[in-house]
Amino acid sequence: MKRLLFIPAFLGLIIQIQAQKNSADSIQSQSIQEVIVIGTTKIATKENKPLGSIDEYLQKSPKVEMVKRGAYAWEPLINGLPTERTLVTIDGMRIFGACTDKMDPITSYIEVSNLMEASISSGQEGSCHGNTIGGAIDLKRNKMMFGQKKWNFNVNSGYETVNQQKIFGAGTTFKTERFYTDVNFMMRDAENYKAGKNVEIPFSQFKKINISGITGVKLGENKLLEASVIYDKANDVGYPALPMDVSIAEALIASLKFQLLPESDIVQNWETKVYFNNIMHRMDDTKRPNVPIHMDMPGWSKTYGYYSHLKSVVNKHHFLLNINGFYNKSSAEMTMYPEDKDEKLMFMLTWPDVRTLAQSIYLEDQIELNQTSSLKLSASVTMHQNKIESKFGLNSLQIFYPEMNPEKSRILKSIAANYQFDKNDFQVGIGVGYGDRAPSVSEGYGFYLFNSYERYDYIGNPNLKNESSIEANAFVGIQKKNFKAKISSSYFHISDYIVGKIIDNLVPMTIGASGVKNYTALDYANVFNISLSTELQVLEPLKWSTQLVYMQGRDKNNANLPFMSPLSYQTTLRFDRNNFSSEFSLFGNTKHVDFAPRYGESKTPDYAIVSTNLGYQFPLEKIKIYAKVGVENVFDRFYTTYSDWNAIPRPGRNFFVNLNFKW
């Protein structure tokens, strides 16, 4: 299977060095896509906390919310939909977590020092690198260019009082006319955090190191070879909302890219990348008191993949062709250790060594209809196959599905159309789309996976159909000299919506669980969201921005879906003059009354949180120094939100300092 996967990759191992400016730039990118700037290579003077985590950067988007199970590794939701229904990539690379409890989202294996930006796409706009329902996040690495021989260095340091978090990072870049390299390091070390009113949250500590490197060589005037690697390791990670912690989570992510700038008026660029990543994750409860029975739950995920995309311009048509594929091996197990040493250990495969092979082709055409309007059409098709390699794991699942086959193949589809009109200060866009997805490894093949939110053990269902979605989206924007505003909305009608259903008279494996569920599908569910963003330049140095977001999700029985945001708001007043900046912000939610008790949710109260910060860039000649200090949750409010797993409270008052040195 792997040979078939890589044949197209090596047939197309030709690419471009990005043209400095090509005619495709005349079409503005569809406004339904959002870009969040991240990184430490440049001094981020406009960020409220430059050394914040990637999770803190992402939750600024009105499309993204984070499910928090602790202080580390939050799960990103797009349009209120969890990671099974969305897609997260790093520079287009597919990566799969190794934890059955979703304690290691892809965003946990990368750092702000590695990244340049995050590109957030809604719905089928995000289907370039794979199938999705809710949308996609592509985390883009730092980019370097060739140039005059030059070294650059940067050092970053930070401290936060709420959990005594120590942050340290360093990096260097070097470039010549034919060579460049970028190496950086980041470390975080945090104790238990304290919620409002000085309440300590036990098992919320974490330690993490991240090392990253990129090296590029110019092979000719129009050829480039680039190698990239990320190593990330977290130890002693506590998850206060879960019954287990993590002793180690480790990732190695490597890629090789070849680029070519074709000497053609039609082909603008051609880029091909082959990649590999290996994830290891081990859940552990040895530090928890009063554990009924000790469990050890390691998981592994290994992925080989490639993509090759070609950009072309023919008259008013701007084409993007992306051929991509991956081969993934996912396995996880659980061992129970009885207190009586004479009793036998209990062992099971919770992911039965599932192999996934996918091969996709994606085609996009942005058509410049006239000077004020454009139409973007996209479509993709994917051949998708799952196979259980473990005979023991197959036999376990056949207890519930006697006729199941170890292999299952599917065809996945996506199609979308987006129209945009832009004239003077006014902008409007509408779009429609259809897409489907295969069940995740847990949904299809999981074996007694405990969901601590609902307190049920879950069993996968290999007979699930593809989950599919018909979507519609629209936005209206206005942009004046000192004022801009945008209102956006999306609607998803999701058929064969995958959920859990109670299996009567079946004894759970987890002590204290309420019962056992298996994955099944509702006929449909509907998800709607709407957001409003505004920005007003009150005075030359003073800017006021606001954001309102509301989501609603209902199934066919009109029952609420989980993790749907009530009316949330944030407003920021920012002052910038010369080298000085200051910011005052307020964010909060109204009461969460449309909660989903079927999925373990309960009502949460409204809240409002005030934060403030000050920044100053010291005007030195040979070294740039930027300092930022601030206070989050100024009034030390004790609160929890709809997206906090098992209602764990959020951090209380936090004083922080971030320092950045660059020379």
Side-chain angles (χ1 to χ4, degrees):
M1 286 196 294
K2 283 185 280 187
R3 291 177 182 174
L4 292 174
L5 178 67
F6 286 105
I7 287 174
F10 288 104
L11 287 176
L13 192 60
I14 319 173
I15 312 180
Q16 69 133 36
I17 300 174
Q18 170 124 12
Q20 295 186 1
K21 186 130 182 147
N22 58 50
S23 59
D25 293 337
S26 63
I27 290 186
Q28 296 187 18
S29 61
Q30 298 291 323
S31 292
I32 205 161
Q33 188 177 78
E34 180 183 6
V35 173
I36 295 177
V37 177
I38 304 174
T40 58
T41 55
K42 294 183 179 179
I43 298 176
T45 59
K46 294 189 180 298
E47 294 303 323
N48 63 327
K49 191 164 67 171
L51 297 181
S53 68
I54 288 174
D55 303 328
E56 292 174 289
Y57 276 87
L58 291 177
Q59 68 178 359
K60 297 175 185 177
S61 167
K63 291 292 183 184
V64 177
E65 188 50 84
M66 312 299 292
V67 173
K68 301 174 180 65
R69 297 172 173 86
Y72 182 80
W74 305 341
E75 178 190 359
L77 310 184
I78 307 176
N79 288 314
L81 299 174
T83 47
E84 297 91 348
R85 298 182 170 94
T86 61
L87 180 65
V88 179
T89 54
I90 299 175
D91 263 349
M93 298 184 290
R94 299 295 301 270
I95 303 171
F96 298 86
C99 178
T100 58
D101 281 17
K102 299 200 285 188
M103 298 156 80
D104 68 332
I106 306 312
T107 47
S108 68
Y109 291 117
I110 198 164
E111 261 293 348
V112 293
S113 56
N114 309 152
L115 296 180
M116 177 178 67
E117 63 186 33
S119 178
I120 301 168
S121 304
S122 179
Q124 297 310 308
E125 283 280 289
S127 61
C128 178
H129 295 291
N131 292 83
T132 180
I133 298 292
I137 299 173
D138 189 24
L139 301 168
K140 297 185 178 181
R141 299 288 309 276
N142 293 323
K143 306 297 181 188
M144 286 199 65
M145 300 292 289
F146 300 107
Q148 283 189 320
K149 185 175 181 180
K150 185 178 181 181
W151 284 94
N152 286 108
F153 301 90
N154 68 83
V155 174
N156 306 283
S157 182
Y159 182 76
E160 302 189 19
T161 61
V162 75
N163 58 355
Q164 301 178 53
Q165 182 178 180
K166 283 83 64 183
I167 306 167
F168 178 78
T172 182
T173 63
F174 174 72
K175 66 179 180 180
T176 69
E177 296 289 345
R178 306 192 66 85
F179 175 83
Y180 63 73
T181 188
D182 178 353
V183 179
N184 58 74
F185 166 83
M186 184 72 80
M187 178 203 76
R188 298 177 187 268
D189 187 345
E191 305 299 328
N192 291 334
Y193 73 82
K194 292 185 178 180
K197 311 308 177 189
N198 208 36
V199 177
E200 183 174 339
I201 307 301
F203 313 111
S204 60
Q205 78 289 338
F206 64 89
K207 296 178 182 177
K208 172 189 173 81
I209 62 168
N210 179 281
I211 304 170
S212 169
I214 299 176
T215 297
V217 180
K218 185 185 286 189
L219 302 179
E221 287 305 311
N222 62 344
K223 298 180 183 68
L224 164 71
L225 185 68
E226 181 183 272
S228 171
V229 64
I230 298 172
Y231 175 74
D232 188 278
K233 183 179 181 181
N235 291 96
D236 189 24
V237 182
Y239 287 87
L242 299 175
M244 299 187 75
D245 301 312
V246 172
S247 60
I248 184 172
E250 189 174 32
L252 177 65
I253 303 167
S255 66
L256 182 66
K257 181 172 72 175
F258 182 76
Q259 297 184 341
L260 171 72
L261 180 62
E263 296 177 1
S264 168
D265 294 332
I266 294 176
V267 178
Q268 297 296 316
N269 68 69
W270 199 352
E271 173 179 315
T272 299
K273 177 183 289 184
V274 292
Y275 61 87
F276 163 79
N277 53 78
N278 187 34
I279 312 291
M280 191 276 283
H281 185 276
R282 185 178 294 275
M283 285 188 280
D284 177 31
D285 61 5
T286 54
K287 295 187 178 181
R288 294 294 181 99
N290 305 318
V291 176
I293 184 170
H294 167 57
M295 291 187 292
D296 186 30
M297 298 182 66
W300 302 268
S301 173
K302 187 177 292 186
T303 306
Y304 307 85
Y306 80 96
Y307 70 73
S308 180
H309 46 79
L310 174 75
K311 289 184 179 179
S312 173
V313 177
V314 181
N315 298 324
K316 294 186 177 182
H317 296 266
H318 302 254
F319 294 103
L320 169 62
L321 173 66
N322 184 14
I323 301 173
N324 62 87
F326 69 86
Y327 178 75
N328 172 260
K329 299 190 287 185
S330 291
S331 60
E333 60 189 43
M334 176 174 68
T335 304
M336 296 184 179
Y337 299 87
E339 288 189 9
D340 187 347
K341 303 299 182 183
D342 294 329
E343 293 185 27
K344 291 184 178 180
L345 302 181
M346 291 176 280
F347 175 84
M348 67 172 66
L349 288 177
T350 49
W351 282 348
D353 196 5
V354 180
R355 312 293 173 94
T356 302
L357 175 69
Q359 176 63 58
S360 303
I361 182 168
Y362 171 90
L363 180 62
E364 173 186 301
D365 182 11
Q366 289 197 49
I367 309 167
E368 190 175 358
L369 301 176
N370 52 50
Q371 291 184 339
T372 59
S373 59
S374 63
L375 177 66
K376 177 180 173 183
L377 305 174
S378 65
S380 72
V381 62
T382 301
M383 302 295 294
H384 183 281
Q385 182 191 73
N386 290 126
K387 182 179 180 181
I388 298 178
E389 283 292 330
S390 168
K391 193 169 183 180
F392 175 73
L394 177 64
N395 292 338
S396 298
L397 280 170
Q398 283 177 335
I399 297 172
F400 303 96
Y401 308 101
E403 305 300 322
M404 75 170 287
N405 193 300
E407 293 187 27
K408 190 170 184 68
S409 298
R410 305 169 185 267
I411 298 179
L412 308 176
K413 297 84 58 187
S414 171
I415 187 168
N418 292 86
Y419 170 81
Q420 182 170 320
F421 175 84
D422 192 344
K423 186 174 183 179
N424 299 328
D425 303 325
F426 180 72
Q427 191 179 58
V428 64
I430 56 173
V432 293
Y434 169 85
D436 59 5
R437 71 169 182 102
S440 67
V441 171
S442 290
E443 291 169 336
Y445 305 100
F447 193 72
Y448 281 95
L449 305 179
F450 181 58
N451 182 321
S452 64
Y453 204 60
E454 302 176 26
R455 305 207 65 78
Y456 277 86
D457 282 337
Y458 267 77
I459 294 171
N461 183 351
N463 300 321
L464 289 169
K465 297 179 181 178
N466 293 350
E467 186 180 86
S468 62
S469 171
I470 297 173
E471 69 176 80
N473 55 73
F475 70 88
V476 177
I478 186 171
Q479 186 164 352
K480 299 287 186 179
K481 181 180 179 181
N482 295 320
F483 175 76
K484 60 182 179 182
K486 180 180 175 183
I487 184 169
S488 304
S489 183
S490 300
Y491 172 80
F492 300 86
H493 178 80
I494 306 174
S495 300
D496 297 307
Y497 186 83
I498 298 174
V499 296
K501 181 181 179 182
I502 296 174
I503 304 176
D504 294 326
N505 303 319
L506 199 60
V507 178
M509 188 69 66
T510 303
I511 297 173
S514 300
V516 179
K517 290 184 178 182
N518 75 322
Y519 283 102
T520 183
L522 302 176
D523 288 346
Y524 65 87
N526 297 318
V527 175
F528 169 78
N529 64 69
I530 187 168
S531 65
L532 170 67
S533 300
T534 66
E535 190 174 287
L536 175 65
Q537 195 78 42
V538 182
L539 299 169
E540 184 179 347
L542 190 63
K543 183 184 292 184
W544 180 29
S545 59
T546 62
Q547 180 177 287
L548 298 172
V549 178
Y550 174 74
M551 297 182 184
Q552 185 183 83
R554 301 280 176 85
D555 64 20
K556 72 163 193 170
N557 300 315
N558 208 35
N560 293 318
L561 299 180
F563 301 119
M564 293 292 155
S565 173
L567 180 63
S568 67
Y569 56 88
Q570 53 181 297
T571 183
T572 302
L573 196 61
R574 181 176 178 83
F575 178 87
D576 277 289
R577 164 133 328 159
N578 300 326
N579 296 321
F580 175 78
S581 66
S582 65
E583 189 175 85
F584 173 89
S585 65
L586 171 72
F587 73 90
N589 280 351
T590 58
K591 291 180 181 179
H592 185 36
V593 294
D594 293 328
F595 57 94
R598 173 180 177 179
Y599 302 96
E601 282 193 322
S602 57
K603 181 191 287 188
T604 54
D606 60 333
Y607 66 90
I609 303 300
V610 174
S611 299
T612 186
N613 62 73
L614 301 171
Y616 188 75
Q617 184 166 324
F618 294 89
L620 304 178
E621 253 186 59
K622 294 186 177 180
I623 184 170
K624 294 180 180 179
I625 302 176
Y626 184 72
K628 176 152 281 191
V629 296
V631 188
E632 298 172 312
N633 194 354
V634 171
F635 299 108
D636 202 26
R637 176 83 182 266
F638 184 94
Y639 71 107
T640 186
T641 80
Y642 72 97
S643 62
D644 295 318
W645 196 265
N646 285 327
I648 60 165
R650 296 281 182 101
R653 184 186 296 117
N654 180 33
F655 294 90
F656 70 86
V657 57
N658 287 180
L659 298 173
N660 183 296
F661 304 84
K662 185 178 180 182
W663 66 95

